[in-house]
Amino acid sequence: MKSKLTIYFFLIITFIFSCKEEPNNIETKVVEKPNKIVLISINAPAKYTHLVKQDSIGKKMTDSLGPKTFYTKNGFTYLDFMNNEQTWLPKPNVRDTIVIECYSDYLEFTTNNFFTSINDTFLVKNGDTVVFNYNNNIPKAEITNRKVNDEELNYNSYRHKKLFNNKYTSHHLIFASLFIDNDIKNYEENSIDYYNRAKIDYTREVRLLDSLFNSNKLSETNYNYRKDALNMLMEK
């Protein structure tokens, strides 16, 4: 009887230890940030020139001798990892590449747009490879390493076409109508008119942003980013 109890006891102890959980040796894999962003320019123009009377993107002008605006260095401006402002001016008419150190989640690149009173901006993620193609001296971005909605990445171009039919924006005309309209006599009156239009366009753009966000075409980060930029424009 005693030997049977010993055997039972041994079996119970063996069962208990066999059911004991093995220590979890699976290590959580830490995904390191790439800490870089790659920009590629395909066909940057040699000269960033715009005819003032060309009131819409791509409009053909019969008189190319009229007043022009010039941007001698219309590259992409950004803040480097030391928080210093840098500008990359792509080499014209060739494929040009730059690798930028980045230790934040996002980085903003800005470039001048002849038709608006705010810069075109591109908000990209750490690790992105961004390709820029130019049309009418205006860059359009594409990200090759992840899928992103065009309305989000190229939002400035999207808003320009959707709200202003690719023409001078009402915000821009508040400041530039004197040069565009050549109406010195009625400049003040015209500026007030454009300002009132700009307030209406502000409401239209807020609705546009809300619509894009609610339809998942804008991430929350980009939605807040574009909303802040719009509010800063109205304060200006």
PDB file of all heavy atoms in Angstrom, residues 125 128 143-150 152-153:
ATOM      1  N   LYS A 125       6.448  60.776 -44.073  1.00  0.00           N
ATOM      2  CA  LYS A 125       6.856  60.014 -42.899  1.00  0.00           C
ATOM      3  C   LYS A 125       8.336  59.647 -42.951  1.00  0.00           C
ATOM      4  O   LYS A 125       8.926  59.516 -44.025  1.00  0.00           O
ATOM      5  CB  LYS A 125       6.034  58.726 -42.794  1.00  0.00           C
ATOM      6  CG  LYS A 125       4.624  58.909 -42.283  1.00  0.00           C
ATOM      7  CD  LYS A 125       3.962  57.547 -42.094  1.00  0.00           C
ATOM      8  CE  LYS A 125       2.563  57.695 -41.506  1.00  0.00           C
ATOM      9  NZ  LYS A 125       1.928  56.376 -41.276  1.00  0.00           N
ATOM     10  N   ASP A 128      10.180  57.382 -45.761  1.00  0.00           N
ATOM     11  CA  ASP A 128       9.555  57.489 -47.077  1.00  0.00           C
ATOM     12  C   ASP A 128      10.582  57.757 -48.177  1.00  0.00           C
ATOM     13  O   ASP A 128      11.601  58.417 -47.964  1.00  0.00           O
ATOM     14  CB  ASP A 128       8.524  58.624 -47.102  1.00  0.00           C
ATOM     15  CG  ASP A 128       7.181  58.199 -46.530  1.00  0.00           C
ATOM     16  OD1 ASP A 128       6.971  56.984 -46.344  1.00  0.00           O
ATOM     17  OD2 ASP A 128       6.344  59.085 -46.269  1.00  0.00           O
ATOM     18  N   ILE A 143       4.732  58.626 -53.289  1.00  0.00           N
ATOM     19  CA  ILE A 143       5.505  57.850 -52.328  1.00  0.00           C
ATOM     20  C   ILE A 143       5.574  56.408 -52.806  1.00  0.00           C
ATOM     21  O   ILE A 143       4.549  55.799 -53.105  1.00  0.00           O
ATOM     22  CB  ILE A 143       4.895  57.949 -50.918  1.00  0.00           C
ATOM     23  CG1 ILE A 143       5.094  59.368 -50.379  1.00  0.00           C
ATOM     24  CG2 ILE A 143       5.526  56.931 -49.968  1.00  0.00           C
ATOM     25  CD1 ILE A 143       4.494  59.613 -49.025  1.00  0.00           C
ATOM     26  N   THR A 144       6.788  55.864 -52.884  1.00  0.00           N
ATOM     27  CA  THR A 144       6.967  54.542 -53.490  1.00  0.00           C
ATOM     28  C   THR A 144       6.935  53.397 -52.479  1.00  0.00           C
ATOM     29  O   THR A 144       6.721  52.252 -52.864  1.00  0.00           O
ATOM     30  CB  THR A 144       8.300  54.485 -54.253  1.00  0.00           C
ATOM     31  OG1 THR A 144       9.388  54.694 -53.330  1.00  0.00           O
ATOM     32  CG2 THR A 144       8.351  55.547 -55.334  1.00  0.00           C
ATOM     33  N   ASN A 145       7.149  53.685 -51.195  1.00  0.00           N
ATOM     34  CA  ASN A 145       7.291  52.605 -50.225  1.00  0.00           C
ATOM     35  C   ASN A 145       6.012  52.287 -49.449  1.00  0.00           C
ATOM     36  O   ASN A 145       5.968  51.327 -48.683  1.00  0.00           O
ATOM     37  CB  ASN A 145       8.397  52.946 -49.218  1.00  0.00           C
ATOM     38  CG  ASN A 145       8.158  54.275 -48.520  1.00  0.00           C
ATOM     39  OD1 ASN A 145       8.326  55.324 -49.129  1.00  0.00           O
ATOM     40  ND2 ASN A 145       7.751  54.242 -47.264  1.00  0.00           N
ATOM     41  N   ARG A 146       4.972  53.070 -49.647  1.00  0.00           N
ATOM     42  CA  ARG A 146       3.704  52.795 -48.960  1.00  0.00           C
ATOM     43  C   ARG A 146       2.563  53.427 -49.757  1.00  0.00           C
ATOM     44  O   ARG A 146       2.774  54.322 -50.572  1.00  0.00           O
ATOM     45  CB  ARG A 146       3.705  53.340 -47.521  1.00  0.00           C
ATOM     46  CG  ARG A 146       3.836  54.853 -47.423  1.00  0.00           C
ATOM     47  CD  ARG A 146       3.941  55.314 -45.982  1.00  0.00           C
ATOM     48  NE  ARG A 146       4.179  56.753 -45.901  1.00  0.00           N
ATOM     49  CZ  ARG A 146       3.226  57.681 -45.780  1.00  0.00           C
ATOM     50  NH1 ARG A 146       1.955  57.304 -45.683  1.00  0.00           N
ATOM     51  NH2 ARG A 146       3.518  58.965 -45.717  1.00  0.00           N
ATOM     52  N   LYS A 147       1.371  52.941 -49.482  1.00  0.00           N
ATOM     53  CA  LYS A 147       0.207  53.457 -50.189  1.00  0.00           C
ATOM     54  C   LYS A 147      -0.347  54.665 -49.432  1.00  0.00           C
ATOM     55  O   LYS A 147      -0.565  54.612 -48.226  1.00  0.00           O
ATOM     56  CB  LYS A 147      -0.878  52.375 -50.292  1.00  0.00           C
ATOM     57  CG  LYS A 147      -2.071  52.778 -51.132  1.00  0.00           C
ATOM     58  CD  LYS A 147      -3.061  51.625 -51.266  1.00  0.00           C
ATOM     59  CE  LYS A 147      -4.260  52.052 -52.128  1.00  0.00           C
ATOM     60  NZ  LYS A 147      -5.244  50.947 -52.269  1.00  0.00           N
ATOM     61  N   VAL A 148      -0.554  55.737 -50.143  1.00  0.00           N
ATOM     62  CA  VAL A 148      -1.105  56.954 -49.539  1.00  0.00           C
ATOM     63  C   VAL A 148      -2.029  57.616 -50.553  1.00  0.00           C
ATOM     64  O   VAL A 148      -1.732  57.641 -51.752  1.00  0.00           O
ATOM     65  CB  VAL A 148       0.022  57.915 -49.086  1.00  0.00           C
ATOM     66  CG1 VAL A 148       0.923  58.280 -50.246  1.00  0.00           C
ATOM     67  CG2 VAL A 148      -0.535  59.166 -48.429  1.00  0.00           C
ATOM     68  N   ASN A 149      -3.160  58.131 -50.087  1.00  0.00           N
ATOM     69  CA  ASN A 149      -4.113  58.790 -50.973  1.00  0.00           C
ATOM     70  C   ASN A 149      -3.498  60.038 -51.595  1.00  0.00           C
ATOM     71  O   ASN A 149      -2.811  60.809 -50.917  1.00  0.00           O
ATOM     72  CB  ASN A 149      -5.379  59.182 -50.199  1.00  0.00           C
ATOM     73  CG  ASN A 149      -6.220  57.990 -49.835  1.00  0.00           C
ATOM     74  OD1 ASN A 149      -6.361  57.057 -50.617  1.00  0.00           O
ATOM     75  ND2 ASN A 149      -6.767  57.989 -48.636  1.00  0.00           N
ATOM     76  N   ASP A 150      -3.777  60.238 -52.880  1.00  0.00           N
ATOM     77  CA  ASP A 150      -3.238  61.409 -53.573  1.00  0.00           C
ATOM     78  C   ASP A 150      -3.788  62.696 -52.964  1.00  0.00           C
ATOM     79  O   ASP A 150      -3.089  63.702 -52.891  1.00  0.00           O
ATOM     80  CB  ASP A 150      -3.589  61.330 -55.060  1.00  0.00           C
ATOM     81  CG  ASP A 150      -2.894  62.407 -55.869  1.00  0.00           C
ATOM     82  OD1 ASP A 150      -1.652  62.391 -55.939  1.00  0.00           O
ATOM     83  OD2 ASP A 150      -3.587  63.290 -56.406  1.00  0.00           O
ATOM     84  N   GLU A 152      -4.315  63.277 -49.963  1.00  0.00           N
ATOM     85  CA  GLU A 152      -3.575  63.565 -48.736  1.00  0.00           C
ATOM     86  C   GLU A 152      -2.174  64.075 -49.040  1.00  0.00           C
ATOM     87  O   GLU A 152      -1.752  65.101 -48.501  1.00  0.00           O
ATOM     88  CB  GLU A 152      -3.496  62.308 -47.870  1.00  0.00           C
ATOM     89  CG  GLU A 152      -2.684  62.489 -46.582  1.00  0.00           C
ATOM     90  CD  GLU A 152      -2.871  61.340 -45.619  1.00  0.00           C
ATOM     91  OE1 GLU A 152      -3.994  61.179 -45.121  1.00  0.00           O
ATOM     92  OE2 GLU A 152      -1.893  60.608 -45.374  1.00  0.00           O
ATOM     93  N   LEU A 153      -1.465  63.362 -49.896  1.00  0.00           N
ATOM     94  CA  LEU A 153      -0.079  63.730 -50.188  1.00  0.00           C
ATOM     95  C   LEU A 153       0.009  65.035 -50.970  1.00  0.00           C
ATOM     96  O   LEU A 153       0.828  65.903 -50.659  1.00  0.00           O
ATOM     97  CB  LEU A 153       0.595  62.599 -50.980  1.00  0.00           C
ATOM     98  CG  LEU A 153       2.046  62.822 -51.370  1.00  0.00           C
ATOM     99  CD1 LEU A 153       2.918  63.024 -50.141  1.00  0.00           C
ATOM    100  CD2 LEU A 153       2.559  61.641 -52.189  1.00  0.00           C
TER     101      LEU A 153
END
